[in-house]
Amino acid sequence: MRTGRGPGVAAALLALAALGALPERARALSLADCTAPGADCTLREVADLVGLRLGAAAASGYIASDPLYGPTLAAEFNSLTPENHLKWPQIHPAPDTWNFGPADALVDFATAAGMRIRGHTLLWANPDRLPAYVAGATSAAEARAYMADHITTLVGRYAGRIDTWDVVNEPLENLGDVLFDNVFLDQIGPGYIGEAFQLAHAADPTARLFLNEVLVEIPGSSRFDAFYDLVKGLVDAGVPIDGVGFQTHLLSPFIQPTGAQLEDAMRRFADLGLGVEITEMDVGMTQTAGDRLGLQAQIYADLIGACVRVAACEGITFWGFTDRYTWLDAAFGPGLDPLPFDVDYGRKPAWFATRDALLARLPEPAPGALLAPLAAALVLGARRSRRRGRAPALPAGRAVVEI
Ligand code: G3I
């Protein structure tokens, strides 16, 4: 269901690069264009150049209350995720009560700013995150009716504006390797996850539909295996799933998967034909001494580099963007400073690490735009390669990306 790029495109891009025949859009990718003295690209400009979604979780209240919040968000990100406004208890707290206001405000803000929107989330599997009336369903029919009303109404309302949904969030028990025990599992069985995707697809056939999970960045763990088996089962059953979201909440040094591990994890799902995204990244720093922000920047570079290297990775979303507002303050206390902007909206080392990591991604060519030069370049590149007995080389400084 996802539109992937085949190996032919990779070869063509390599050939074009080798011949110095890259189109304008690709030339604008050179690191120097955004790092030269005087150049001042925002993360959004860089993300647009390299064709990646770069988002932040956001709340409409801060746009209204904090004059720096909205302008920074719109300048630095090409996507946003409502952090809480679309969640079932917030937007649909009783069977006939909908509270669309805060989500509408955020959707209107993003639309006006030309930003994409990730819808988070239609069904958070954790029973603590479901309203009491839903949890009280006593039959499969009742549970299905709640699910159908909720998903059909929400996806239908925002069709054409919310382009990607986390259809089901955190299907696995916290830290475990089994499905969360919730009313849907109890009444419908494990098939409820596929049914949720079917409902979302019917309500907006153009939306990209993701399964979003936390702490599945490390292949080899029983939790990763359980998540993989779940996703593969959905794909094998023909469920309309487009992608997998890796939340990527890190807490240095305790929860700190490496970029190599995340890359491996992403490739496992890409091999199923799925897209992948980093959907909720933040890096809480428990260290209180030393160059903790420099270390944080290294972690950002390492993890974002994984997405940049995997062609199926469509984007990165941070869970917030300024240390002024982070869920970690409420969860663990202040001072973990997990985001790329500081409390005064200053760019942290993690901001620069993000920018530089993004710049290593080659752009996706516009469909059809490169066909003629592509064909010529491929022929020429192949001839040159044959003559030299090796593959075309890339210009210095340009990363090789598997596409
Ligand atoms: O808005 C009310 C406020 O009116 C009230 O006075 C206050 C009293 O507690 O609560 C406020 O609501 C809180 C809301 O955040 C907004 O701040 C909720 O209690 C609180 O539970 C809620 O926490 C959110 C949490 O999900 C649960 O929904 C966090 O902001 C949000 O960052 C967090 O996000 C999750 C993702 O959805 C899924 N992955 C993990 C991630 C982090 O936990």
Side-chain angles (χ1 to χ4, degrees):
M1 187 170 194
R2 64 176 293 271
T3 51
R5 286 168 290 177
V9 176
L13 280 172
L14 293 179
L16 285 168
L19 292 167
L22 282 168
E24 281 305 312
R25 184 163 168 244
R27 276 194 208 110
L29 255 186
S30 104
L31 193 65
D33 288 332
C34 284
T35 55
D40 189 22
C41 297
T42 64
L43 293 183
R44 178 176 183 163
E45 288 168 325
V46 173
D48 285 346
L49 280 172
V50 302
L52 278 171
R53 178 199 290 273
L54 188 72
S60 56
Y62 300 138
I63 294 174
S65 67
D66 182 340
L68 287 178
Y69 185 90
T72 308
L73 180 63
E76 295 281 352
F77 299 93
N78 61 22
S79 172
L80 67 74
T81 302
E83 183 171 354
N84 290 308
H85 301 327
L86 290 168
K87 290 174 180 171
W88 201 326
Q90 278 85 346
I91 203 164
H92 192 187
D96 296 319
T97 304
W98 289 89
N99 177 26
F100 292 122
D104 282 356
L106 213 45
V107 168
D108 288 347
F109 172 86
T111 305
M115 304 168 80
R116 298 171 64 190
I117 306 166
R118 290 192 97 262
H120 175 84
T121 172
L122 296 171
L123 197 167
W124 189 339
N126 185 333
D128 296 341
R129 304 300 180 192
L130 293 168
Y133 73 90
V134 176
T138 55
S139 68
E142 194 184 359
R144 283 197 170 99
Y146 284 137
M147 191 161 77
D149 176 42
H150 183 72
I151 292 177
T152 304
T153 303
L154 262 190
V155 176
R157 180 182 182 85
Y158 295 112
R161 290 182 289 169
I162 292 184
D163 65 83
T164 305
W165 280 99
D166 290 333
V167 177
V168 175
N169 181 57
E170 298 175 26
L172 297 180
E173 259 182 14
N174 288 344
L175 307 178
D177 56 8
V178 296
L179 292 179
F180 256 124
D181 184 9
N182 62 30
V183 65
F184 298 111
L185 187 70
D186 290 347
Q187 299 296 346
I188 301 172
Y192 84 86
I193 295 174
E195 290 186 25
F197 277 82
Q198 299 285 4
L199 287 164
H201 182 60
D204 182 1
T206 68
R208 289 184 63 70
L209 305 181
F210 273 59
L211 190 66
N212 195 43
E213 187 53 279
V214 65
L215 295 173
V216 287
E217 291 85 12
I218 301 182
S221 64
S222 62
R223 182 174 173 84
F224 177 89
D225 289 344
F227 186 58
Y228 179 84
D229 291 347
L230 170 62
V231 173
K232 186 170 187 313
L234 295 174
V235 171
D236 290 347
V239 167
I241 177 173
D242 294 292
V244 162
F246 295 87
Q247 291 188 8
T248 320
H249 289 290
L250 271 60
L251 196 62
S252 176
F254 306 109
I255 303 174
Q256 200 175 307
T258 66
Q261 288 169 322
L262 178 58
E263 181 178 342
D264 280 355
M266 288 179 161
R267 289 191 192 284
R268 292 285 303 279
F269 292 99
D271 287 347
L272 294 176
L274 297 173
V276 293
E277 289 191 38
I278 292 175
T279 52
E280 303 187 14
M281 182 171 165
D282 49 17
V283 182
M285 303 301 292
T286 63
Q287 300 86 344
T288 52
D291 183 15
R292 57 196 290 275
L293 297 188
L295 174 60
Q296 183 181 51
Q298 287 173 21
I299 298 169
Y300 265 72
D302 189 36
L303 274 289
I304 292 171
C307 173
V308 164
R309 287 190 298 276
V310 175
C313 187
E314 300 169 12
I316 300 128
T317 293
F318 301 124
W319 211 237
F321 59 99
T322 163
D323 290 337
R324 185 177 291 201
Y325 309 114
T326 162
W327 71 283
L328 288 173
D329 284 359
F332 298 112
L336 292 169
D337 304 330
L339 292 162
F341 290 85
D342 67 23
V343 293
D344 296 317
Y345 293 93
R347 292 170 172 176
K348 293 167 60 181
W351 184 98
F352 293 93
T354 300
R355 179 199 61 185
D356 293 349
L358 291 174
L359 281 165
R361 174 94 162 199
L362 285 169
E364 185 170 11
L370 291 178
L371 285 184
L374 206 72
L378 279 175
V379 171
L380 279 170
R383 282 185 192 152
R384 287 182 178 191
S385 302
R386 270 201 302 277
R387 276 203 303 273
R388 293 175 190 153
R390 61 176 172 79
L394 283 171
R398 187 172 291 283
V400 178
V401 177
E402 176 248 308
I403 296 182

